[in-house]
Amino acid sequence: MAALSPHPIRLVVTDDLRRSRLTVFFRFFLAIPHLIWIGLFAIGAIFVAFISWWATLFAGRAPKGLHGFLAGFVRYVTQVEAYLFLAANPYPGFYVGDTAKTYPVDVEIDPPAPQNRAVTFFRLFLALPALLLSIAFSGGGPSYSGYGYRAGFGVAGSAALLMWFASLVRGRAPRGLRDLATWSIGYGAQTAGYLFLLTDRYPTSDPLAHLGPASEEGEAALPPMPARGVVRDDLRRSRLTVFFRLLLWVPHLVWLVLWTVLAVIVGIVNWLVALVIGQPPAPFARFLSAYVRYNVHQQAFLNLVGNPFPGFVGKPGSYPIDLEIGAAQKQRRLSIFFRLFLAVPAFIVSASGGSLLFVAALLGWFASLVRGRMPEGLRNSGAWALTYSGQLYAYAFLLSGSYPFSSPRAVSWQP
């Protein structure tokens, strides 16, 4: 199948990760004038979008002037979101109705193009799945969806909260959290552009469409990771097993509960021994690695991120959605002692990822029943959530001393 052309609304990130501690500390208060301005401009944007809807129905494309006004508004709100969520550092300029200024986290929007009239007529109805997924990303839906700004603690909100603390300490935003926030912001911009009739191309939640693959910057640019997700899934889904997926998963639920009880016991013993010798004993590491992989496999099956029925032993490479965990190595005893406490920020990110996984699975269930295929964006969103969860448990079980890397680049997307 031929590759799709680039989306008409594309994320552009030139941020260098440096942050001013002073503006980070007062970031929300500094953003208030922009939030008020967005609320005022949103009234005009709704009115212009309504006129553009009628014009697009009759002419088959949005008028250039109306398209330009709405495109500038979407770009402006994207920039304010990036500033508020700490995905960028400089104070953004105010949009006054012509063209928004460039910014380290920005979007490129193509000129008006022909649009399908039927898609235009039912635009609000068709946008509902994208809006639901946007809530999981931002915690409150896209900020420009017609009623001003709504902050929340979805994926972007969790990343922003942790970046706030990290940036105050280090004067830099962690790369993984920045990537996570920009992915969320990019999806919100595409959803807004779809609602505002800038394009009839549906928003994609695929992180590769917003951030690009890791190979673009080279593997050396990535930090050490406690575990790396590997995706070899071909997107095909059996409608029969999709329909009965929850029932088919019940045997795994029973096995997971039993294995979890044993894993917790082994994990405690492993922690005590690792405090003495400075690393997990190899038998404990193998057992816990298998448990973490199995958890990823069965969750991938349940949430339609993978298709085949998984095995019960967490064998490496046995499932299309897998987790590569390296051999246990020496770790600092102080880090081992406080491991669960140190993992708390990662648990916050993982919880927001769990919400995204649930929404992706819900939408993917309907799509897979109709098409016999899982939408790639939903599959990749779910794969990221499972990878990060796997990294977290590998870190918590002392299988690695490297902190979980929250960027979607932690996943290896293979044919």
Side-chain angles (χ1 to χ4, degrees):
M1 185 167 62
L4 290 175
S5 59
H7 197 282
I9 300 175
R10 299 172 296 278
L11 186 69
V12 179
V13 180
T14 57
D15 170 61
D16 62 5
L17 299 177
R18 288 180 292 182
R19 298 292 182 266
S20 163
R21 292 181 175 89
L22 184 62
T23 63
V24 164
F25 188 81
F26 293 104
R27 185 62 55 102
F28 176 76
F29 297 101
L30 292 171
I32 287 176
H34 282 289
L35 301 182
I36 295 173
W37 194 238
I38 286 174
L40 295 174
F41 248 94
I43 299 172
I46 295 170
F47 180 71
V48 171
F50 181 69
I51 297 175
S52 183
W53 181 76
W54 281 104
T56 305
L57 275 179
F58 284 101
R61 74 168 65 205
K64 186 175 181 179
L66 302 183
H67 180 279
F69 175 86
L70 293 171
F73 179 68
V74 169
R75 285 188 60 208
Y76 170 59
V77 179
T78 299
Q79 294 170 10
V80 173
E81 268 200 328
Y83 181 73
L84 182 63
F85 286 130
L86 298 168
N89 191 56
Y91 198 74
F94 284 85
Y95 175 61
V96 292
D98 47 9
T99 303
K101 299 178 181 179
T102 58
Y103 196 69
V105 176
D106 207 344
V107 284
E108 295 177 342
I109 301 177
D110 287 349
Q115 299 191 39
N116 184 295
R117 288 181 172 87
V119 172
T120 298
F121 185 80
F122 292 105
R123 185 64 54 95
L124 284 178
F125 175 77
L126 293 172
L128 289 178
L131 289 171
L132 182 61
L133 195 60
S134 186
I135 291 173
F137 271 114
S138 70
S143 50
Y144 14 46
S145 58
Y147 44 87
Y149 193 89
R150 292 180 60 188
F153 274 88
V155 171
S158 299
L161 174 67
L162 299 177
M163 271 195 290
W164 188 82
F165 288 102
S167 299
L168 283 178
V169 174
R170 303 171 58 211
R172 288 179 62 85
R175 159 82 178 281
L177 294 175
R178 195 282 311 274
D179 283 358
L180 196 56
T182 52
W183 173 29
S184 304
I185 291 167
Y187 183 76
Q190 289 188 359
T191 302
Y194 186 75
L195 279 170
F196 282 149
L197 302 158
L198 300 179
T199 178
D200 62 357
R201 180 90 164 262
Y202 209 75
T204 175
S205 60
D206 185 357
L208 295 181
H210 297 282
L211 300 174
S215 58
E216 290 186 0
E217 298 182 37
E219 294 294 327
L222 298 177
M225 287 175 275
R228 187 178 184 91
V230 179
V231 177
R232 305 184 186 92
D233 172 63
D234 62 5
L235 299 175
R236 289 181 294 181
R237 299 293 181 267
S238 162
R239 291 181 175 90
L240 184 63
T241 63
V242 165
F243 188 81
F244 292 104
R245 187 61 56 104
L246 185 59
L247 291 176
L248 291 171
W249 176 72
V250 170
H252 282 288
L253 173 61
V254 175
W255 183 241
L256 179 65
V257 171
L258 296 174
W259 199 349
T260 299
V261 172
L262 185 57
V264 170
I265 296 172
V266 174
I268 294 172
V269 177
N270 181 58
W271 179 75
L272 293 171
V273 176
L275 276 176
V276 176
I277 66 175
Q279 71 178 64
F284 290 173
R286 286 194 297 269
F287 176 84
L288 293 170
S289 294
Y291 169 75
V292 172
R293 274 193 303 270
Y294 169 70
N295 195 47
V296 170
H297 295 172
Q298 56 86 21
Q299 283 294 317
F301 176 74
L302 173 64
N303 291 283
L304 299 168
V305 181
N307 188 54
F309 194 79
F312 288 83
V313 296
K315 181 181 177 181
S318 64
Y319 201 70
I321 312 299
D322 204 8
L323 196 69
E324 294 178 345
I325 303 175
Q329 298 177 345
K330 285 281 186 179
Q331 300 177 42
R332 295 174 57 201
R333 289 178 175 81
L334 189 62
S335 171
I336 292 172
F337 185 79
F338 290 105
R339 183 58 52 93
L340 288 182
F341 174 76
L342 293 172
V344 168
F347 276 108
I348 294 173
V349 175
S350 183
S352 64
S355 299
L356 179 63
L357 176 64
F358 173 78
V359 175
L362 178 65
L363 299 177
W365 188 82
F366 288 101
S368 298
L369 281 179
V370 173
R371 303 172 57 210
R373 289 178 64 84
M374 181 72 164
E376 188 171 15
L378 297 179
R379 192 278 311 274
N380 288 356
S381 298
W384 166 80
L386 290 173
T387 292
Y388 190 78
S389 175
Q391 286 189 30
L392 169 59
Y393 282 101
Y395 180 73
F397 279 130
L398 309 177
L399 301 177
S400 171
S402 299
Y403 207 76
F405 184 53
S406 56
S407 172
R409 299 176 189 270
V411 183
S412 175
W413 318 93
Q414 300 181 5

